[in-house]
Amino acid sequence: METLIDQDAFPSGPLRERVKELKCLHGVIELTERTELSREQILQGIVDLIPEGWQYPEVCRARVTLRDVSFNTAGFTLTPWLQRASLKVNGTPIGTLEVCYLENRSAHRDDPFLLEEKKLIELIGKKLSRRIEEWEIGPAPRPPSQKELAALRPEWQIVLDLLKETDSVLYKRILRRLMNHLDRNGVPGVQGLVLQFNPAYQEDDSGARGDNQPLPKRDVLTLEKVFDEAIWIASIAMPDDEMSALIKKWMRQDKFAYLIFATDKRDISRTEISDILGRFCRATRPDEQSLSSSGDLNVRVALIRRFLSERLSFIRIAKEYMTIHDFGRILSQVLGPTQGTGKLGGKAAGLVLAEHVLRDRVRGNHIAGKFRVPQTRFITSDGLMDFIHNNYLEDMLGFKFSGIEEIRHNFPYIEQLFKHSHPSPEIVSQLKVAIEELGEGPLIVRSSSLLEDSEGSAFSGKYRSLFLPNIGTRDERLAALTDAIAEVYASIFGPDAIQYRAERGLLDYMEEMGILIQRVVGRRVGKYFFPAFAGVSFSTNEFRWSPRVRREDGVLRIVTGLGTRAVDRVGDDYPVLISPGQPGIRVNVTPQQVVHYAQKNIDLINLESGRFETHSIDEILKEVGDQFPCWDWVMSVYDGTTVRKPSRAMVHPGRDPMVVTFAGLIENTPFLKQLKEIMRILREAMGYPVDVEFAHDGADLHILQCRPQSRAEDEQRVTIPQWIPEKRKLFSAHKYVTNAHVRDIKTIVYVDAARYAQLASLGDMVAVGDAVSRLNSMLPRRSFILIGPGRWGSRGDIRLGVRVTYSDINNAAMLIEVARKVGNYVPDLSFGTHFFQDLVEARIRYLALYPDEEGAVFAEQFFHKAPSVLTELLPEYEYLADVVRVIDVPAATGGCELNVVMDGEGEQALAYLVEKH
């Protein structure tokens, strides 16, 4: 076959080498097919021709050994720089083809041969072996007829000829894939064909073509010749059965090419994609390569971008773990406007990705064990706008640009407005199907906004999550579900959510809200429904309670019952804190501490009253006794002096005094090791620390949510100055300290703990939170700190701390909780809660003070005696002047400002006054 390329067009370099290889291959094939030459002439001609195809022909020699006969170029000798290819007849070796260099002229001392040369000798060896087989079998007794010749044609050639006549478009696509396949596998000669289209080869002698001049267009005959030669090279390089299998596979894959075109369309609706994916999944198996590798990747990326996230970091991870069939299953669980183009939202995307990462990575991992994800239905993010349009609520869209006080004042009205509105008939019909598929039993309706659960904007606790008993007639269950969905939609207009978005420059973004409808994890116990335990786990521990607890050990907040009490600070209740990396190092050590800081109440669903309720654990234990799920994992016995693990044979939970410790879970089950391994897998796959919510029904661990962990970037370590006079020190801390340096504080907002506790009414306590909120709006951002009694942001018993939300404190530079001792008890910290995550994300530094501990500095007289400007700023709160003190630091100190140095490594913090320069 005549070569298409002139070798002299490429005087040097890799391009010239590719042309030499192609010319050598052509020469060898031409020799093997010349019938007028003898066997000896052909073999000698081949060895004489081979050196011209190698990089250094002047020192290259070749030899063919066939049984006991050899043919070689002049000067052939065995050197250290030698390569061989075996010659076979019917699979039996009968000789070798050898190529050597007499000297090594390459930069590689041990191996001077190019990869292409190694593949070229193998290809020549294959062709020569076929020719030798023909010689061994002998000539045919007579020339074959046309019919016999047609019958001898390989299957792949018949298929290609048929395609060329009947489907020229598919024929060209198959040939392009053949070219790509040969080139990707480094088959010698193919790169030489590609050079046909190199601009340098197309230059004529009339002068160089400018960079801005269009390329000359090659004629169609050149393309056809290149494709013909590619088929010819493939016929030499590949066995007939392999060629046939490849062409058949490409034809099957081309049949599904519509999937690539469909998913790449930006405006295609959810139902259209769902229908197309359904057809594809019904026609293919998950384990078969139904599309080309590039086509399959293209579809997966398009589906991730279309339904989950357009963030490149998310796509990079998700494409490694999610298949097209995975999306087929997911879309069968998706509700929303049929012609809509919405996504599943941030919370849903995080859960979906975590599930598929774990499904892939826990195979064969006995430590990670098995896990489950609750049965879920998703409503796409454009369901919110469908709801708004269906109820003519468009005027609400501009509400987010109102002042924060107006938003806070009007939000309860907006909630009720939404709750008296209804989803469109289209969505209602889909919800009817969903509640039938999910069946009776408790559900939770969760937000999944587009911005939610992404790195740097977790929106922790900003939107509603609502539990439903999901009992009664279908119409009653449907009405409760649509009401909950409306309330979750309304939460997008809440003050905390709007303030949070405004601070991150996201207010102008058109926030849409997806919805997750999930089965609640748990089991029925009497008339109640709840899990054995639930909680939240963090990859890194920002506040360590012992020097032996490392940040990378992580931290776990765990409660019995529904996990709501693990993610919120609730009244005088406490979760159990565990470091999965150091489970033996507990926060509370003495029996008195363990009992005082134990969980006292449990959140659950009452299936008779149809309500989310809170009951004392003692009350529930007396009612359900040993039917309480995994009670011996959750509870310990407290006899008044000691806390010990229970024995099922000796203890009855409804009779004996119990305390929640999770000692049995920690010491007698593989749960902690399992959770630690799951957290490791997720962190490793995601590339960042994660925050995972979970629940356990007594049989299986369920993953409920996964998102990037909100974390503060540690500042460079700042050591505590030693020159500070005692009179300038305001407070110090010696534990739970991170690295930070807070400078130039001009105002201290101090809530006096003793006087706060003496307030006559809960209304006055609420007013303290309102005053703090007003000050937060008035004072310059990051110029003030908040100091007050511990448990800020707690829901429940307001007497334990100032009731505030994120939008009430978001402008502060620091939040400082003053924890007075009660006996020998260690007060609770906020870390791990949604409230704490807000502080971390907003870079509001947190510090816990223990004034009663030996060596602690706490200038209480300064906070009591320094002049307060509260009545000047907020005269209507004058009646709280003894409780809320607003200290203008420069005015009170003769021009000083406050600095706070926090040394996390040294576990020390000091606040001191410095003269303003």
Side-chain angles (χ1 to χ4, degrees):
M1 191 172 187
E2 182 183 356
T3 183
L4 299 174
I5 297 183
D6 179 9
Q7 179 177 330
D8 295 332
F10 301 92
S12 62
L15 301 183
R16 180 180 176 86
E17 297 306 317
R18 304 295 81 76
V19 176
K20 285 167 57 178
E21 293 159 5
L22 183 58
K23 288 179 68 70
C24 175
L25 183 60
H26 271 280
V28 169
I29 303 306
E30 183 180 354
L31 273 172
T32 60
E33 293 176 354
R34 289 181 62 178
T35 57
E36 77 277 12
L37 298 179
S38 67
R39 182 183 311 189
E40 291 76 12
Q41 289 174 315
I42 292 173
L43 294 175
Q44 186 60 51
I46 288 174
V47 297
D48 290 338
L49 180 63
I50 282 176
E52 294 302 318
W54 264 246
Q55 190 175 12
Y56 308 109
E58 60 276 12
V59 293
C60 183
R61 302 293 184 268
R63 178 173 73 178
V64 169
T65 301
L66 197 60
R67 294 193 174 91
D68 55 353
V69 180
S70 294
F71 303 88
N72 55 267
T73 53
F76 178 88
T77 185
L78 294 176
T79 71
W81 311 291
L82 180 73
Q83 55 181 171
R84 289 189 177 92
S86 180
L87 303 177
K88 299 178 181 179
V89 172
N90 293 328
T92 303
I94 60 165
T96 57
L97 168 61
E98 298 168 299
V99 177
C100 72
Y101 279 129
L102 300 180
E103 60 184 75
N104 186 356
R105 293 187 177 181
S106 77
H108 302 285
R109 179 171 298 180
D110 298 327
D111 187 0
F113 295 102
L114 299 174
L115 177 63
E116 291 79 9
E117 291 170 344
K118 296 173 183 177
K119 293 183 177 181
L120 181 58
I121 191 174
E122 291 293 332
L123 191 56
I124 293 174
K126 287 181 181 179
K127 181 59 181 176
L128 191 52
S129 293
R130 293 182 194 176
R131 188 69 177 101
I132 293 170
E133 280 186 355
E134 294 174 3
W135 290 335
E136 297 285 334
I137 295 172
R142 61 175 177 77
S145 65
Q146 290 295 323
K147 185 175 181 180
E148 289 171 329
L149 282 173
L152 291 172
R153 285 194 308 158
E155 181 185 24
W156 64 263
Q157 190 172 352
I158 296 171
V159 172
L160 282 182
D161 289 346
L162 181 62
L163 284 179
K164 189 174 184 180
E165 295 295 327
T166 60
D167 192 341
S168 60
V169 174
L170 178 56
Y171 174 75
K172 290 174 182 176
R173 285 206 292 265
I174 295 294
L175 292 186
R176 287 199 298 268
R177 296 188 69 170
L178 179 62
M179 281 277 289
N180 293 337
H181 177 80
L182 296 172
D183 187 46
R184 189 166 51 248
N185 286 279
V187 175
V190 177
Q191 290 186 348
L193 294 178
V194 176
L195 295 179
Q196 285 288 294
F197 308 102
N198 189 295
Y201 179 70
Q202 300 174 36
E203 296 282 5
D204 56 29
D205 297 329
S206 61
R209 177 180 57 81
D211 288 340
N212 299 322
Q213 179 179 330
L215 290 168
K217 186 177 181 179
R218 305 306 301 271
D219 62 82
V220 70
L221 290 177
T222 301
L223 285 171
E224 291 178 352
K225 288 180 181 178
V226 167
F227 284 142
D228 287 345
E229 193 149 350
I231 295 172
W232 173 76
I233 292 174
S235 70
I236 300 167
M238 298 166 59
D240 290 337
D241 57 349
E242 184 180 342
M243 276 280 284
S244 295
L246 270 178
I247 290 173
K248 288 178 181 177
K249 183 179 78 171
W250 292 335
M251 290 174 67
R252 284 196 308 272
Q253 292 175 351
D254 189 82
K255 182 174 68 172
F256 299 113
Y258 64 84
L259 189 60
I260 300 174
F261 308 140
T263 51
D264 266 340
K265 290 174 64 178
R266 292 285 180 169
D267 58 347
I268 189 169
S269 70
R270 174 184 64 82
T271 51
E272 288 178 282
I273 292 184
S274 186
D275 289 344
I276 291 168
L277 275 180
R279 283 191 283 130
F280 175 83
C281 293
R282 287 191 295 272
T284 62
R285 299 191 315 273
D287 59 345
E288 70 175 303
Q289 188 177 354
S290 306
L291 293 171
S292 65
S293 297
S294 59
D296 181 81
L297 180 60
N298 184 72
V299 171
R300 285 186 284 120
V301 168
L303 290 169
I304 293 165
R305 194 175 58 235
R306 169 67 174 76
F307 289 104
L308 299 181
S309 176
E310 297 192 39
R311 288 186 294 115
L312 295 180
S313 57
F314 185 98
I315 294 171
R316 185 184 69 251
I317 301 165
K319 71 182 183 182
E320 300 298 323
Y321 295 98
M322 299 192 68
T323 69
I324 297 173
H325 278 262
D326 289 333
F327 278 97
R329 288 188 292 271
I330 291 169
L331 289 188
S332 68
Q333 302 164 2
V334 173
L335 294 67
T338 54
Q339 297 305 308
T341 57
K343 292 180 170 59
L344 303 190
K347 189 173 292 180
L351 179 61
V352 166
L353 178 56
E355 178 183 3
H356 287 87
V357 167
L358 291 174
R359 297 260 182 248
D360 180 84
R361 299 284 289 272
V362 303
R363 294 192 189 101
N365 186 331
H366 68 280
I367 299 176
K370 64 176 183 176
F371 72 97
R372 301 182 68 180
V373 171
Q375 193 176 356
T376 306
R377 293 296 179 270
F378 308 92
I379 302 179
T380 52
S381 59
D382 49 355
L384 171 63
M385 294 308 299
D386 183 77
F387 184 92
I388 286 174
H389 294 324
N390 188 65
N391 294 282
Y392 305 100
L393 297 171
E394 288 84 356
D395 56 312
M396 291 291 100
L397 296 176
F399 178 71
K400 62 186 178 182
F401 297 113
S402 305
I404 190 63
E405 292 301 326
E406 182 182 351
I407 290 171
R408 191 177 284 114
H409 178 73
N410 289 320
F411 178 58
Y413 161 72
I414 290 175
E415 278 188 307
Q416 289 303 314
L417 189 64
F418 269 66
K419 287 172 73 68
H420 282 84
S421 301
H422 307 282
S424 65
E426 178 184 51
I427 301 298
V428 170
S429 65
Q430 295 177 42
L431 290 173
K432 288 180 180 178
V433 175
I435 62 172
E436 289 298 324
E437 292 175 341
L438 291 169
E440 288 197 42
L443 300 175
I444 181 170
V445 180
R446 312 183 75 189
S447 66
S448 184
S449 81
L450 292 184
L451 294 173
E452 202 168 352
D453 284 5
S454 58
E455 202 162 4
S457 59
F459 283 81
S460 303
K462 301 298 177 293
Y463 303 129
R464 301 300 304 274
S465 291
L466 302 172
F467 290 94
L468 303 176
N470 191 34
I471 54 178
T473 67
R474 189 184 72 168
D475 288 344
E476 290 171 339
R477 292 158 56 207
L478 179 63
L481 178 58
T482 56
D483 177 72
I485 290 170
E487 188 170 335
V488 172
Y489 281 153
S491 66
I492 205 167
F493 298 102
D496 274 9
I498 290 176
Q499 186 75 49
Y500 187 91
R501 290 170 60 195
E503 288 182 353
R504 287 155 179 77
L506 300 172
L507 207 54
D508 296 333
Y509 184 85
M510 182 57 208
E511 176 72 80
E512 291 187 350
M513 175 73 77
I515 297 283
L516 281 77
I517 306 169
Q518 289 182 323
R519 291 297 302 263
V520 177
V521 175
R523 63 171 67 170
R524 180 164 189 159
V525 183
K527 63 183 180 182
Y528 304 111
F529 187 97
F530 58 92
F533 54 89
V536 57
S537 182
F538 301 90
S539 294
T540 60
N541 187 350
E542 294 293 339
F543 283 86
R544 289 145 339 260
W545 50 84
S546 166
R548 290 185 292 157
V549 175
R550 301 167 300 172
R551 178 175 278 103
E552 59 270 24
D553 287 330
V555 66
L556 176 68
R557 293 176 64 92
I558 186 170
V559 297
T560 187
L562 298 173
T564 44
R565 306 182 84 80
V567 296
D568 291 321
R569 305 184 85 179
V570 185
D572 61 349
D573 227 2
Y574 305 88
V576 170
L577 297 180
I578 305 168
S579 170
Q582 298 284 351
I585 304 175
R586 305 297 292 272
V587 178
N588 299 301
V589 179
T590 68
Q592 293 76 20
Q593 290 175 338
V594 171
V595 173
H596 184 82
Y597 291 102
Q599 180 184 353
K600 308 294 193 310
N601 299 305
I602 182 172
D603 289 344
L604 42 73
I605 298 171
N606 187 324
L607 297 177
E608 290 186 359
S609 68
R611 296 181 60 84
F612 173 94
E613 296 178 350
T614 299
H615 293 269
S616 77
I617 293 175
D618 288 342
E619 172 190 330
I620 295 298
L621 287 174
K622 288 176 182 176
E623 188 170 344
V624 303
D626 58 6
Q627 296 304 304
F628 194 103
C630 304
W631 67 268
D632 53 337
W633 291 0
V634 174
M635 308 291 177
S636 292
V637 179
Y638 178 57
D639 60 10
T641 57
T642 61
V643 176
R644 68 179 190 277
K645 287 186 297 181
S647 165
R648 276 187 172 267
M650 303 294 293
V651 173
H652 189 276
R655 180 190 65 234
D656 298 295
M658 311 298 287
V659 59
V660 176
T661 64
F662 292 100
L665 181 72
I666 296 169
E667 299 173 25
N668 301 336
T669 78
F671 168 74
L672 275 189
K673 290 182 180 178
Q674 178 189 17
L675 189 62
K676 182 181 177 184
E677 181 68 4
I678 284 174
M679 298 295 289
R680 183 196 67 78
I681 290 170
L682 290 172
R683 177 171 185 165
E684 185 179 281
M686 306 296 189
Y688 47 71
V690 295
D691 156 359
V692 172
E693 289 185 22
F694 63 88
H696 202 294
D697 59 9
D700 295 304
L701 172 67
H702 293 70
I703 304 299
L704 309 181
Q705 181 175 319
C706 178
R707 61 186 171 200
Q709 181 180 345
S710 303
R711 63 193 193 280
E713 299 298 331
D714 281 353
E715 295 187 7
Q716 186 176 0
R717 181 180 181 182
V718 182
T719 56
I720 303 296
Q722 300 301 311
W723 51 265
I724 306 298
E726 290 298 320
K727 64 180 181 179
R728 291 201 172 188
K729 297 178 181 178
L730 291 191
F731 55 80
S732 67
H734 300 284
K735 56 186 175 183
Y736 315 131
V737 179
T738 57
N739 289 332
H741 192 177
V742 182
R743 302 175 177 88
D744 307 325
I745 298 302
K746 297 177 176 60
T747 307
I748 298 172
V749 178
Y750 177 74
V751 179
D752 186 280
R755 288 169 176 161
Y756 178 82
Q758 293 169 2
L759 285 172
S761 69
L762 292 180
D764 287 344
M765 290 183 172
V766 171
V768 170
D770 292 340
V772 169
S773 179
R774 292 282 301 280
L775 291 167
N776 179 71
S777 300
M778 298 174 65
L779 296 172
R781 182 175 173 82
R782 299 296 185 260
S783 70
F784 65 98
I785 62 174
L786 301 171
I787 306 178
R791 306 216 93 189
W792 289 66
S794 173
R795 70 174 175 88
D797 191 348
I798 193 173
R799 291 167 296 185
L800 297 171
V802 182
R803 178 179 290 177
V804 289
T805 64
Y806 172 74
S807 62
D808 298 319
I809 62 165
N810 64 294
N811 289 323
M814 289 188 73
L815 176 66
I816 299 167
E817 296 186 330
V818 181
R820 293 287 188 182
K821 280 190 176 181
V822 180
N824 294 317
Y825 304 138
V826 180
D828 171 59
L829 297 175
S830 68
F831 60 89
T833 62
H834 289 333
F835 183 74
F836 176 71
Q837 292 177 71
D838 286 338
L839 302 182
V840 172
E841 283 189 356
R843 297 185 66 80
I844 299 171
R845 301 300 182 177
Y846 172 85
L847 195 63
L849 302 184
Y850 300 89
D852 300 319
E853 290 191 347
E854 185 178 353
V857 174
F858 189 69
E860 197 161 18
Q861 287 300 310
F862 174 83
F863 298 124
H864 286 163
K865 300 298 184 182
S868 173
V869 296
L870 174 70
T871 55
E872 297 173 26
L873 297 174
L874 299 173
E876 65 271 33
Y877 288 97
E878 182 179 3
Y879 69 100
L880 294 175
D882 289 340
V883 182
V884 182
R885 300 185 53 76
V886 182
I887 301 170
D888 182 329
V889 177
T893 61
C896 291
E897 292 180 345
L898 183 68
N899 277 11
V900 184
V901 175
M902 301 168 64
D903 177 5
E905 280 79 3
E907 287 284 351
Q908 296 183 75
L910 178 67
Y912 58 92
L913 298 170
V914 295
E915 292 183 1
K916 184 179 179 182
H917 297 293

